[in-house]
Coordinates of all heavy atoms in Angstrom, one line a residue:
M1 N 15.5 -8.1 -4.7 CA 15.2 -8.6 -3.3 C 15.9 -9.9 -3.2 O 15.5 -10.9 -3.9 CB 13.7 -8.6 -3.1 CG 13.4 -9.1 -1.7 SD 11.6 -8.9 -1.4 CE 11.2 -10.4 -0.6
N2 N 16.8 -10.1 -2.3 CA 17.6 -11.3 -2.2 C 17.0 -12.1 -1.0 O 17.2 -11.7 0.1 CB 19.0 -11.0 -2.0 CG 19.9 -12.3 -1.9 OD1 19.3 -13.4 -2.2 ND2 21.1 -12.2 -1.6
T3 N 16.3 -13.2 -1.3 CA 15.7 -14.0 -0.2 C 16.6 -15.3 0.0 O 16.1 -16.2 0.6 CB 14.3 -14.4 -0.5 OG1 14.3 -15.1 -1.8 CG2 13.4 -13.2 -0.6
K4 N 17.8 -15.3 -0.5 CA 18.7 -16.4 -0.4 C 19.0 -16.6 1.1 O 19.2 -15.7 1.8 CB 20.0 -16.2 -1.2 CG 20.8 -17.4 -1.3 CD 22.0 -17.1 -2.2 CE 22.8 -18.4 -2.4 NZ 23.9 -18.1 -3.3
G5 N 18.9 -17.8 1.5 CA 19.2 -18.1 2.9 C 17.9 -18.2 3.8 O 18.0 -18.4 5.0
H6 N 16.8 -17.9 3.2 CA 15.5 -17.9 4.0 C 14.8 -19.2 3.7 O 15.0 -19.8 2.6 CB 14.6 -16.8 3.5 CG 15.1 -15.4 4.0 ND1 14.9 -14.9 5.2 CD2 15.9 -14.5 3.3 CE1 15.5 -13.7 5.3 NE2 16.1 -13.5 4.2
C7 N 14.1 -19.7 4.7 CA 13.4 -21.0 4.5 C 12.2 -20.9 3.7 O 11.7 -22.0 3.2 CB 13.0 -21.5 5.9 SG 14.4 -21.8 7.0
Y8 N 11.6 -19.7 3.4 CA 10.4 -19.6 2.6 C 10.7 -18.9 1.3 O 11.6 -18.1 1.2 CB 9.4 -18.7 3.4 CG 8.9 -19.4 4.7 CD1 9.5 -19.2 5.9 CD2 7.8 -20.2 4.6 CE1 9.1 -19.8 7.0 CE2 7.3 -20.9 5.8 CZ 8.0 -20.6 7.0 OH 7.5 -21.2 8.1
P9 N 9.9 -19.2 0.3 CA 10.1 -18.6 -1.0 C 9.7 -17.1 -1.0 O 9.0 -16.6 -0.1 CB 9.2 -19.4 -2.0 CG 8.2 -20.1 -1.1 CD 8.8 -20.3 0.2
K10 N 10.2 -16.4 -2.0 CA 10.0 -14.9 -2.0 C 8.5 -14.6 -2.0 O 8.2 -13.6 -1.3 CB 10.7 -14.5 -3.3 CG 10.6 -13.0 -3.6 CD 11.3 -12.7 -4.9 CE 11.1 -11.3 -5.4 NZ 11.8 -11.0 -6.6
S11 N 7.7 -15.3 -2.7 CA 6.3 -15.0 -2.7 C 5.6 -15.1 -1.3 O 4.8 -14.2 -1.0 CB 5.5 -16.0 -3.7 OG 5.7 -17.3 -3.2
I12 N 6.0 -16.0 -0.5 CA 5.5 -16.1 0.9 C 5.9 -15.0 1.7 O 5.2 -14.3 2.5 CB 5.9 -17.5 1.5 CG1 5.4 -18.7 0.7 CG2 5.5 -17.5 3.0 CD1 3.9 -18.8 0.7
I13 N 7.2 -14.6 1.6 CA 7.8 -13.5 2.4 C 7.1 -12.2 2.0 O 6.6 -11.4 2.9 CB 9.3 -13.4 2.2 CG1 10.0 -14.6 2.8 CG2 9.8 -12.1 2.8 CD1 11.5 -14.7 2.4
L14 N 6.9 -11.9 0.7 CA 6.3 -10.7 0.2 C 4.8 -10.7 0.7 O 4.3 -9.6 1.0 CB 6.4 -10.6 -1.3 CG 7.7 -10.2 -1.8 CD1 7.8 -10.2 -3.3 CD2 8.1 -8.8 -1.3
Q15 N 4.1 -11.8 0.7 CA 2.7 -11.8 1.1 C 2.6 -11.5 2.6 O 1.7 -10.7 2.9 CB 2.1 -13.2 0.8 CG 0.7 -13.3 1.0 CD 0.1 -14.6 0.6 OE1 0.6 -15.7 1.0 NE2 -1.0 -14.6 -0.1
A16 N 3.5 -12.0 3.4 CA 3.4 -11.7 4.8 C 3.7 -10.3 5.1 O 3.0 -9.6 5.9 CB 4.4 -12.6 5.6
V17 N 4.7 -9.7 4.4 CA 5.1 -8.3 4.6 C 3.9 -7.4 4.1 O 3.6 -6.4 4.7 CB 6.4 -8.0 3.9 CG1 6.7 -6.5 3.9 CG2 7.5 -8.8 4.5
Y18 N 3.3 -7.8 3.0 CA 2.2 -7.1 2.4 C 1.0 -7.0 3.4 O 0.5 -6.0 3.7 CB 1.7 -7.7 1.1 CG 0.5 -7.1 0.6 CD1 0.4 -5.9 -0.1 CD2 -0.7 -7.8 0.7 CE1 -0.8 -5.4 -0.6 CE2 -1.9 -7.3 0.2 CZ -1.9 -6.1 -0.4 OH -3.1 -5.6 -0.9
F19 N 0.7 -8.2 4.0 CA -0.4 -8.2 5.0 C -0.1 -7.3 6.1 O -1.0 -6.5 6.6 CB -0.7 -9.6 5.5 CG -1.4 -10.5 4.5 CD1 -1.1 -11.8 4.4 CD2 -2.4 -10.0 3.6 CE1 -1.7 -12.7 3.5 CE2 -3.0 -10.8 2.7 CZ -2.7 -12.2 2.7
K20 N 1.1 -7.3 6.6 CA 1.4 -6.5 7.8 C 1.4 -5.0 7.5 O 0.8 -4.3 8.2 CB 2.9 -6.9 8.3 CG 3.5 -5.9 9.3 CD 2.7 -5.9 10.6 CE 3.3 -5.0 11.6 NZ 2.4 -4.0 12.1
L21 N 1.9 -4.6 6.4 CA 2.0 -3.2 6.0 C 0.7 -2.7 5.5 O 0.2 -1.6 5.8 CB 3.1 -2.9 5.1 CG 4.5 -3.3 5.6 CD1 5.5 -3.1 4.5 CD2 4.8 -2.5 6.8
R22 N 0.0 -3.4 4.6 CA -1.2 -2.9 3.9 C -2.4 -2.7 4.8 O -3.1 -1.8 4.8 CB -1.5 -3.8 2.7 CG -2.9 -3.6 2.1 CD -2.9 -2.2 1.5 NE -4.2 -1.9 0.8 CZ -5.3 -1.5 1.4 NH1 -5.3 -1.2 2.7 NH2 -6.4 -1.2 0.7
F23 N -2.5 -3.7 5.7 CA -3.7 -3.7 6.6 C -3.4 -3.3 8.0 O -4.2 -3.4 8.9 CB -4.4 -5.1 6.5 CG -4.8 -5.5 5.2 CD1 -4.1 -6.5 4.5 CD2 -5.8 -4.8 4.5 CE1 -4.5 -6.8 3.2 CE2 -6.2 -5.2 3.2 CZ -5.5 -6.2 2.6
T24 N -2.2 -2.8 8.3 CA -1.7 -2.4 9.6 C -2.1 -3.4 10.7 O -2.7 -3.0 11.7 CB -2.2 -1.0 10.0 OG1 -3.7 -0.9 9.9 CG2 -1.7 0.1 9.0
L25 N -1.8 -4.6 10.4 CA -2.1 -5.7 11.4 C -0.9 -5.8 12.4 O 0.2 -5.3 12.2 CB -2.2 -7.0 10.6 CG -3.2 -7.2 9.5 CD1 -3.0 -8.4 8.8 CD2 -4.6 -7.1 10.1
S26 N -1.2 -6.4 13.5 CA -0.1 -6.8 14.4 C 0.6 -7.9 13.8 O 0.1 -8.6 12.9 CB -0.7 -7.2 15.8 OG -1.4 -8.4 15.7
Y27 N 1.8 -8.2 14.3 CA 2.6 -9.3 13.8 C 1.9 -10.6 14.1 O 1.9 -11.6 13.3 CB 4.0 -9.3 14.4 CG 4.8 -8.2 13.9 CD1 5.1 -7.1 14.7 CD2 5.3 -8.2 12.6 CE1 5.8 -6.0 14.2 CE2 6.0 -7.1 12.1 CZ 6.3 -6.0 12.9 OH 7.0 -5.0 12.4
R28 N 1.2 -10.7 15.2 CA 0.5 -12.0 15.6 C -0.7 -12.1 14.6 O -1.1 -13.3 14.3 CB 0.1 -12.0 17.0 CG 1.3 -12.1 17.9 CD 0.9 -12.1 19.4 NE 2.0 -12.0 20.3 CZ 2.7 -13.1 20.7 NH1 2.4 -14.3 20.3 NH2 3.8 -12.9 21.5
D29 N -1.4 -11.0 14.3 CA -2.5 -11.1 13.3 C -2.0 -11.6 11.9 O -2.6 -12.4 11.3 CB -3.2 -9.8 13.2 CG -4.0 -9.4 14.4 OD1 -4.3 -10.3 15.2 OD2 -4.4 -8.2 14.5
A30 N -0.8 -11.1 11.5 CA -0.3 -11.5 10.2 C 0.1 -13.0 10.3 O -0.1 -13.7 9.3 CB 1.0 -10.7 9.9
E31 N 0.6 -13.4 11.4 CA 1.0 -14.8 11.6 C -0.3 -15.7 11.5 O -0.3 -16.7 10.8 CB 1.6 -15.0 13.0 CG 1.8 -16.5 13.4 CD 2.3 -16.6 14.8 OE1 2.3 -15.7 15.6 OE2 2.6 -17.8 15.2
E32 N -1.4 -15.2 12.1 CA -2.7 -16.0 12.0 C -3.2 -16.1 10.6 O -3.7 -17.1 10.2 CB -3.7 -15.3 12.9 CG -5.0 -16.1 13.1 CD -6.0 -15.5 14.0 OE1 -5.5 -14.7 14.9 OE2 -7.1 -15.8 13.9
I33 N -3.1 -15.0 9.9 CA -3.6 -15.0 8.5 C -2.7 -15.9 7.6 O -3.3 -16.7 6.8 CB -3.6 -13.6 7.9 CG1 -4.7 -12.7 8.5 CG2 -3.7 -13.6 6.4 CD1 -4.7 -11.3 8.1
M34 N -1.4 -15.9 7.8 CA -0.6 -16.8 7.1 C -0.9 -18.3 7.5 O -0.9 -19.2 6.6 CB 0.9 -16.5 7.4 CG 1.3 -15.2 6.9 SD 1.1 -14.9 5.1 CE 2.3 -16.0 4.4
K35 N -1.2 -18.5 8.7 CA -1.6 -19.9 9.2 C -2.9 -20.3 8.5 O -3.0 -21.5 8.1 CB -1.7 -19.9 10.7 CG -1.9 -21.2 11.3 CD -2.0 -21.1 12.8 CE -2.1 -22.4 13.5 NZ -2.2 -22.3 15.0
I36 N -3.8 -19.4 8.4 CA -5.1 -19.8 7.7 C -4.8 -20.2 6.2 O -5.4 -21.0 5.7 CB -6.1 -18.6 7.8 CG1 -6.6 -18.4 9.2 CG2 -7.2 -18.8 6.8 CD1 -7.3 -17.1 9.4
R37 N -3.8 -19.5 5.7 CA -3.4 -19.8 4.3 C -2.5 -21.0 4.1 O -2.0 -21.3 3.1 CB -2.8 -18.6 3.6 CG -3.8 -17.4 3.5 CD -3.1 -16.2 2.9 NE -4.0 -15.3 2.5 CZ -4.5 -15.1 1.3 NH1 -4.0 -15.9 0.3 NH2 -5.4 -14.2 1.0
G38 N -2.2 -21.7 5.3 CA -1.4 -22.9 5.2 C 0.1 -22.7 5.4 O 0.8 -23.7 5.2
V39 N 0.5 -21.5 5.8 CA 1.9 -21.3 6.0 C 2.2 -21.1 7.5 O 1.7 -20.1 8.1 CB 2.4 -20.0 5.2 CG1 3.8 -19.7 5.4 CG2 2.0 -20.2 3.7
L40 N 2.9 -21.9 8.1 CA 3.3 -21.8 9.5 C 4.6 -21.0 9.6 O 5.6 -21.5 9.3 CB 3.4 -23.2 10.1 CG 2.2 -24.1 10.1 CD1 2.5 -25.5 10.6 CD2 1.1 -23.5 10.8
V41 N 4.4 -19.8 10.1 CA 5.5 -18.9 10.3 C 5.3 -18.1 11.6 O 4.2 -17.7 11.9 CB 5.7 -18.0 9.1 CG1 4.5 -17.1 8.9 CG2 7.0 -17.1 9.2
D42 N 6.4 -17.9 12.4 CA 6.3 -17.2 13.6 C 6.2 -15.7 13.4 O 6.7 -15.2 12.5 CB 7.5 -17.6 14.5 CG 7.4 -17.1 15.9 OD1 6.4 -17.5 16.6 OD2 8.2 -16.2 16.3
H43 N 5.5 -15.0 14.4 CA 5.3 -13.6 14.2 C 6.7 -12.9 14.3 O 6.9 -11.8 13.7 CB 4.4 -13.1 15.3 CG 4.9 -13.3 16.7 ND1 4.7 -14.4 17.4 CD2 5.5 -12.4 17.6 CE1 5.2 -14.3 18.6 NE2 5.8 -13.1 18.7
A44 N 7.6 -13.4 15.1 CA 9.0 -12.8 15.2 C 9.7 -12.9 13.8 O 10.4 -11.9 13.4 CB 9.8 -13.5 16.2
T45 N 9.4 -13.9 13.1 CA 10.0 -14.1 11.7 C 9.4 -13.0 10.8 O 10.2 -12.4 10.0 CB 9.8 -15.5 11.2 OG1 10.4 -16.4 12.1 CG2 10.4 -15.6 9.8
I46 N 8.1 -12.8 10.9 CA 7.5 -11.8 10.1 C 8.0 -10.4 10.4 O 8.3 -9.6 9.5 CB 5.9 -11.9 10.2 CG1 5.4 -13.2 9.7 CG2 5.3 -10.7 9.5 CD1 3.9 -13.4 10.0
Q47 N 8.3 -10.2 11.7 CA 8.8 -8.9 12.1 C 10.2 -8.7 11.4 O 10.5 -7.6 10.9 CB 8.9 -8.8 13.6 CG 9.5 -7.5 14.1 CD 9.6 -7.4 15.6 OE1 9.6 -8.5 16.3 NE2 9.7 -6.2 16.1
C48 N 11.0 -9.7 11.4 CA 12.4 -9.6 10.8 C 12.2 -9.3 9.3 O 13.0 -8.5 8.8 CB 13.1 -10.9 11.1 SG 13.6 -11.2 12.7
W49 N 11.3 -10.0 8.7 CA 11.1 -9.8 7.2 C 10.7 -8.4 7.0 O 11.1 -7.7 6.0 CB 10.0 -10.7 6.7 CG 10.4 -12.2 6.6 CD1 11.7 -12.7 6.7 CD2 9.5 -13.3 6.5 NE1 11.6 -14.1 6.6 CE2 10.3 -14.5 6.5 CE3 8.2 -13.4 6.3 CZ2 9.8 -15.7 6.3 CZ3 7.6 -14.7 6.2 CH2 8.4 -15.8 6.2
V50 N 9.7 -7.8 7.8 CA 9.3 -6.5 7.6 C 10.4 -5.5 7.7 O 10.6 -4.6 6.9 CB 8.1 -6.1 8.6 CG1 7.9 -4.6 8.6 CG2 6.9 -6.9 8.3
Y51 N 11.3 -5.7 8.8 CA 12.4 -4.8 9.0 C 13.4 -4.9 7.8 O 14.0 -3.9 7.4 CB 13.1 -5.1 10.3 CG 12.4 -4.6 11.5 CD1 12.5 -5.3 12.7 CD2 11.5 -3.6 11.5 CE1 11.9 -4.9 13.8 CE2 10.8 -3.2 12.6 CZ 11.0 -3.8 13.8 OH 10.3 -3.4 14.9
K52 N 13.6 -6.1 7.3 CA 14.6 -6.3 6.3 C 14.2 -5.9 4.9 O 14.9 -5.3 4.1 CB 15.0 -7.8 6.3 CG 16.1 -8.1 5.3 CD 16.5 -9.6 5.4 CE 17.7 -9.9 4.5 NZ 18.2 -11.2 4.6
F53 N 12.9 -6.2 4.5 CA 12.5 -6.0 3.2 C 11.6 -4.7 2.9 O 11.4 -4.4 1.7 CB 11.7 -7.2 2.7 CG 12.5 -8.5 2.7 CD1 12.2 -9.5 3.5 CD2 13.6 -8.6 1.8 CE1 13.0 -10.7 3.5 CE2 14.4 -9.7 1.8 CZ 14.1 -10.8 2.7
T54 N 11.2 -4.1 3.9 CA 10.4 -2.8 3.7 C 11.2 -1.8 2.9 O 10.6 -1.2 2.0 CB 9.9 -2.3 5.0 OG1 9.0 -3.3 5.6 CG2 9.1 -1.0 4.8
P55 N 12.4 -1.5 3.3 CA 13.2 -0.5 2.5 C 13.3 -0.9 1.0 O 13.1 0.0 0.1 CB 14.6 -0.5 3.1 CG 14.4 -1.0 4.5 CD 13.2 -2.0 4.4
F56 N 13.5 -2.1 0.7 CA 13.5 -2.6 -0.7 C 12.2 -2.3 -1.4 O 12.1 -1.8 -2.5 CB 13.9 -4.0 -0.8 CG 13.8 -4.6 -2.2 CD1 14.8 -4.3 -3.1 CD2 12.7 -5.3 -2.6 CE1 14.7 -4.8 -4.4 CE2 12.6 -5.8 -3.9 CZ 13.6 -5.5 -4.8
I57 N 11.1 -2.7 -0.7 CA 9.7 -2.6 -1.3 C 9.4 -1.1 -1.5 O 8.9 -0.7 -2.6 CB 8.7 -3.3 -0.4 CG1 8.9 -4.8 -0.4 CG2 7.3 -2.9 -0.9 CD1 8.1 -5.5 0.6
E58 N 9.8 -0.3 -0.6 CA 9.6 1.2 -0.7 C 10.3 1.8 -1.9 O 9.8 2.6 -2.6 CB 10.0 1.8 0.6 CG 9.7 3.3 0.6 CD 10.1 4.0 1.9 OE1 10.9 3.4 2.7 OE2 9.5 5.1 2.2
S59 N 11.6 1.4 -2.0 CA 12.3 1.9 -3.2 C 11.8 1.5 -4.5 O 11.7 2.2 -5.5 CB 13.8 1.5 -3.1 OG 14.0 0.1 -3.3
E60 N 11.3 0.2 -4.6 CA 10.7 -0.3 -5.8 C 9.3 0.5 -6.1 O 9.0 0.8 -7.2 CB 10.4 -1.8 -5.7 CG 11.6 -2.6 -5.8 CD 12.3 -2.5 -7.1 OE1 11.7 -2.5 -8.2 OE2 13.6 -2.2 -7.1
M61 N 8.6 0.8 -5.1 CA 7.3 1.5 -5.2 C 7.6 2.9 -5.7 O 6.9 3.5 -6.6 CB 6.5 1.6 -3.9 CG 6.0 0.2 -3.5 SD 4.9 -0.6 -4.7 CE 3.5 0.5 -4.6
K62 N 8.7 3.6 -5.2 CA 9.0 4.9 -5.7 C 9.4 4.9 -7.1 O 9.1 5.9 -7.8 CB 10.1 5.5 -4.8 CG 9.6 5.9 -3.4 CD 10.7 6.6 -2.6 CE 10.2 7.0 -1.3 NZ 11.3 7.7 -0.5
K63 N 10.1 3.9 -7.6 CA 10.5 3.8 -9.0 C 9.2 3.7 -9.9 O 9.2 4.3 -11.0 CB 11.3 2.6 -9.2 CG 12.7 2.7 -8.7 CD 13.5 1.4 -9.0 CE 14.8 1.3 -8.2 NZ 15.4 0.0 -8.4
R64 N 8.2 3.0 -9.5 CA 7.0 2.7 -10.3 C 6.0 3.9 -10.2 O 5.1 4.0 -11.0 CB 6.4 1.4 -9.9 CG 7.2 0.2 -10.1 CD 6.6 -1.0 -9.6 NE 7.5 -2.1 -9.7 CZ 7.2 -3.4 -9.7 NH1 5.9 -3.7 -9.6 NH2 8.1 -4.3 -9.7
K65 N 6.1 4.7 -9.2 CA 5.1 5.8 -8.9 C 5.3 6.8 -10.0 O 6.4 7.2 -10.4 CB 5.4 6.4 -7.6 CG 4.4 7.5 -7.2 CD 4.8 8.0 -5.8 CE 4.0 9.2 -5.5 NZ 4.4 9.8 -4.3
G66 N 4.2 7.2 -10.6 CA 4.2 8.2 -11.7 C 4.6 9.6 -11.1 O 4.4 9.9 -10.0
K67 N 5.3 10.4 -12.0 CA 5.7 11.7 -11.6 C 4.5 12.6 -11.5 O 3.7 12.6 -12.3 CB 6.7 12.2 -12.7 CG 7.2 13.6 -12.4 CD 8.7 13.5 -11.9 CE 9.2 14.9 -11.9 NZ 10.2 15.0 -10.8
V68 N 4.5 13.4 -10.4 CA 3.4 14.3 -10.1 C 3.9 15.7 -10.5 O 5.0 16.1 -10.1 CB 2.9 14.2 -8.7 CG1 1.8 15.2 -8.4 CG2 2.5 12.8 -8.3
G69 N 3.0 16.5 -11.2 CA 3.4 17.8 -11.5 C 3.6 18.7 -10.3 O 3.1 18.4 -9.2
T70 N 4.3 19.8 -10.4 CA 4.6 20.6 -9.3 C 3.5 21.6 -9.0 O 3.5 22.2 -8.0 CB 6.0 21.3 -9.5 OG1 5.9 22.1 -10.7 CG2 7.1 20.4 -9.5
S71 N 2.7 21.9 -10.0 CA 1.7 22.9 -9.9 C 0.3 22.4 -10.3 O 0.2 21.8 -11.4 CB 2.1 24.1 -10.7 OG 1.0 25.1 -10.7
W72 N -0.7 22.6 -9.5 CA -2.1 22.2 -9.9 C -3.1 23.1 -9.1 O -2.7 23.7 -8.1 CB -2.3 20.7 -9.6 CG -2.1 20.3 -8.2 CD1 -0.9 19.9 -7.7 CD2 -3.0 20.2 -7.2 NE1 -1.0 19.5 -6.4 CE2 -2.3 19.7 -6.0 CE3 -4.4 20.5 -7.0 CZ2 -2.9 19.5 -4.8 CZ3 -5.0 20.3 -5.8 CH2 -4.3 19.8 -4.7
R73 N -4.3 23.2 -9.6 CA -5.3 24.0 -9.0 C -6.5 23.1 -8.7 O -6.8 22.2 -9.5 CB -5.8 25.1 -10.0 CG -4.6 26.0 -10.5 CD -4.2 26.9 -9.4 NE -3.2 27.8 -9.9 CZ -1.9 27.7 -9.8 NH1 -1.4 26.6 -9.2 NH2 -1.0 28.6 -10.3
L74 N -7.2 23.4 -7.6 CA -8.4 22.7 -7.2 C -9.5 23.7 -7.3 O -9.4 24.8 -6.8 CB -8.2 22.2 -5.8 CG -9.4 21.4 -5.3 CD1 -9.6 20.1 -6.0 CD2 -9.2 21.1 -3.8
D75 N -10.6 23.3 -7.9 CA -11.8 24.1 -7.9 C -13.0 23.3 -7.5 O -13.0 22.1 -7.6 CB -12.0 24.6 -9.4 CG -12.9 25.8 -9.4 OD1 -13.4 26.3 -8.4 OD2 -13.2 26.3 -10.5
E76 N -14.0 24.0 -7.0 CA -15.2 23.3 -6.5 C -16.4 24.2 -6.6 O -16.3 25.4 -6.6 CB -15.0 22.9 -5.0 CG -14.7 24.1 -4.1 CD -14.3 23.6 -2.7 OE1 -13.1 23.3 -2.5 OE2 -15.2 23.6 -1.8
T77 N -17.5 23.6 -6.8 CA -18.8 24.4 -7.0 C -20.0 23.5 -6.8 O -19.8 22.3 -6.6 CB -18.8 25.0 -8.4 OG1 -20.0 25.9 -8.4 CG2 -19.0 23.9 -9.5
Y78 N -21.1 24.0 -6.7 CA -22.4 23.3 -6.7 C -23.1 23.4 -8.0 O -23.1 24.5 -8.6 CB -23.3 23.8 -5.6 CG -22.9 23.3 -4.2 CD1 -22.1 24.1 -3.4 CD2 -23.4 22.1 -3.7 CE1 -21.7 23.7 -2.1 CE2 -23.0 21.7 -2.5 CZ -22.2 22.4 -1.7 OH -21.8 22.0 -0.4
I79 N -23.6 22.3 -8.5 CA -24.4 22.4 -9.8 C -25.7 21.6 -9.6 O -25.8 20.8 -8.7 CB -23.6 21.8 -11.0 CG1 -23.3 20.3 -10.7 CG2 -22.3 22.6 -11.2 CD1 -22.7 19.6 -11.9
K80 N -26.7 22.0 -10.4 CA -27.9 21.3 -10.3 C -28.0 20.2 -11.4 O -27.8 20.5 -12.6 CB -29.1 22.3 -10.5 CG -30.4 21.9 -10.0 CD -31.4 23.0 -10.1 CE -32.0 23.2 -8.7 NZ -33.1 24.2 -8.8
V81 N -28.2 19.0 -11.0 CA -28.4 17.9 -12.0 C -29.7 17.2 -11.8 O -30.1 16.7 -10.7 CB -27.3 16.8 -11.7 CG1 -27.4 15.6 -12.7 CG2 -25.9 17.4 -11.8
K82 N -30.6 17.3 -12.8 CA -31.9 16.8 -12.7 C -32.7 17.3 -11.5 O -33.4 16.6 -10.8 CB -31.9 15.3 -12.8 CG -31.4 14.7 -14.1 CD -31.5 13.2 -14.1 CE -31.0 12.6 -15.4 NZ -31.1 11.2 -15.5
G83 N -32.5 18.6 -11.2 CA -33.2 19.2 -10.1 C -32.6 19.0 -8.8 O -33.2 19.5 -7.8
I84 N -31.5 18.3 -8.7 CA -30.9 18.1 -7.4 C -29.5 18.7 -7.3 O -28.7 18.6 -8.3 CB -30.7 16.5 -7.2 CG1 -32.0 15.8 -7.2 CG2 -30.0 16.3 -5.9 CD1 -31.9 14.3 -7.2
W85 N -29.2 19.5 -6.2 CA -28.0 20.2 -6.1 C -26.9 19.2 -5.8 O -27.0 18.4 -4.8 CB -28.0 21.3 -5.0 CG -28.8 22.5 -5.5 CD1 -30.0 22.8 -5.3 CD2 -28.2 23.5 -6.4 NE1 -30.4 24.0 -5.9 CE2 -29.3 24.4 -6.6 CE3 -27.0 23.7 -7.0 CZ2 -29.1 25.5 -7.4 CZ3 -26.8 24.8 -7.8 CH2 -27.9 25.7 -8.0
C86 N -25.8 19.2 -6.5 CA -24.7 18.3 -6.3 C -23.4 19.1 -6.1 O -23.2 20.1 -6.8 CB -24.5 17.3 -7.5 SG -25.9 16.3 -7.8
Y87 N -22.5 18.6 -5.3 CA -21.2 19.2 -5.1 C -20.2 18.6 -6.1 O -20.1 17.4 -6.3 CB -20.7 18.8 -3.7 CG -19.3 19.4 -3.3 CD1 -19.1 20.7 -3.1 CD2 -18.3 18.5 -3.2 CE1 -17.9 21.2 -2.8 CE2 -17.0 19.0 -2.8 CZ -16.8 20.4 -2.7 OH -15.6 20.8 -2.3
L88 N -19.5 19.5 -6.8 CA -18.6 19.1 -7.9 C -17.2 19.7 -7.5 O -17.1 20.9 -7.3 CB -19.1 19.6 -9.2 CG -18.2 19.3 -10.4 CD1 -18.0 17.8 -10.7 CD2 -18.7 20.1 -11.6
H89 N -16.2 18.9 -7.6 CA -14.8 19.4 -7.4 C -13.9 18.7 -8.4 O -14.1 17.6 -8.9 CB -14.3 19.2 -6.0 CG -14.2 17.7 -5.6 ND1 -15.2 17.0 -5.1 CD2 -13.1 16.9 -5.6 CE1 -14.8 15.8 -4.9 NE2 -13.5 15.7 -5.2
W90 N -12.8 19.4 -8.8 CA -11.9 18.8 -9.8 C -10.5 19.5 -9.6 O -10.4 20.6 -9.1 CB -12.4 19.0 -11.2 CG -12.6 20.4 -11.7 CD1 -11.7 21.2 -12.4 CD2 -13.8 21.2 -11.5 NE1 -12.2 22.4 -12.6 CE2 -13.5 22.4 -12.1 CE3 -15.0 21.0 -10.9 CZ2 -14.4 23.5 -12.1 CZ3 -15.9 22.0 -10.9 CH2 -15.6 23.2 -11.5
A91 N -9.5 18.8 -10.0 CA -8.1 19.3 -9.9 C -7.6 19.4 -11.4 O -7.9 18.6 -12.2 CB -7.2 18.4 -9.1
V92 N -6.8 20.5 -11.6 CA -6.3 20.8 -13.0 C -4.8 21.1 -12.8 O -4.4 21.9 -12.0 CB -7.0 21.9 -13.6 CG1 -6.5 22.2 -15.0 CG2 -8.5 21.7 -13.7
D93 N -4.0 20.4 -13.6 CA -2.5 20.7 -13.6 C -2.2 22.0 -14.4 O -3.1 22.5 -15.1 CB -1.7 19.5 -13.9 CG -1.8 19.1 -15.4 OD1 -2.5 19.8 -16.2 OD2 -1.2 18.1 -15.8
K94 N -1.0 22.4 -14.5 CA -0.7 23.6 -15.2 C -0.9 23.5 -16.7 O -0.9 24.5 -17.4 CB 0.8 24.0 -14.9 CG 1.9 23.1 -15.4 CD 3.2 23.7 -15.0 CE 4.3 22.7 -15.4 NZ 5.6 23.2 -15.0
L95 N -1.0 22.2 -17.2 CA -1.3 22.0 -18.7 C -2.8 21.9 -19.0 O -3.1 21.8 -20.1 CB -0.6 20.7 -19.1 CG 1.0 20.7 -19.0 CD1 1.5 19.3 -19.4 CD2 1.6 21.8 -19.8
G96 N -3.6 22.1 -17.9 CA -5.0 22.0 -18.1 C -5.6 20.6 -18.1 O -6.8 20.4 -18.4
N97 N -4.8 19.6 -17.7 CA -5.3 18.2 -17.7 C -5.9 18.0 -16.3 O -5.5 18.4 -15.3 CB -4.2 17.2 -17.9 CG -3.6 17.4 -19.3 OD1 -4.3 17.6 -20.2 ND2 -2.3 17.3 -19.4

């Protein structure tokens, strides 16, 4: 992620983008949260950051995401635990994990 040419450090930019995307805030809400944290940044600037850096963040997340198996089974049942009926469900991959 190249933040060269921006007035704010990488950590501030990532924090603003994180707040916007993670909590589905409006840009003005993200601006207010950053202001509470002592960073004065305009909501339009946060919008530019989101448009510019979201694809990079998404590609990095995909790299770190663990591989999911192609086949799995889901089972569910009711069992009695200490005299109380409880709903139990679990997923099992093709290796039995």
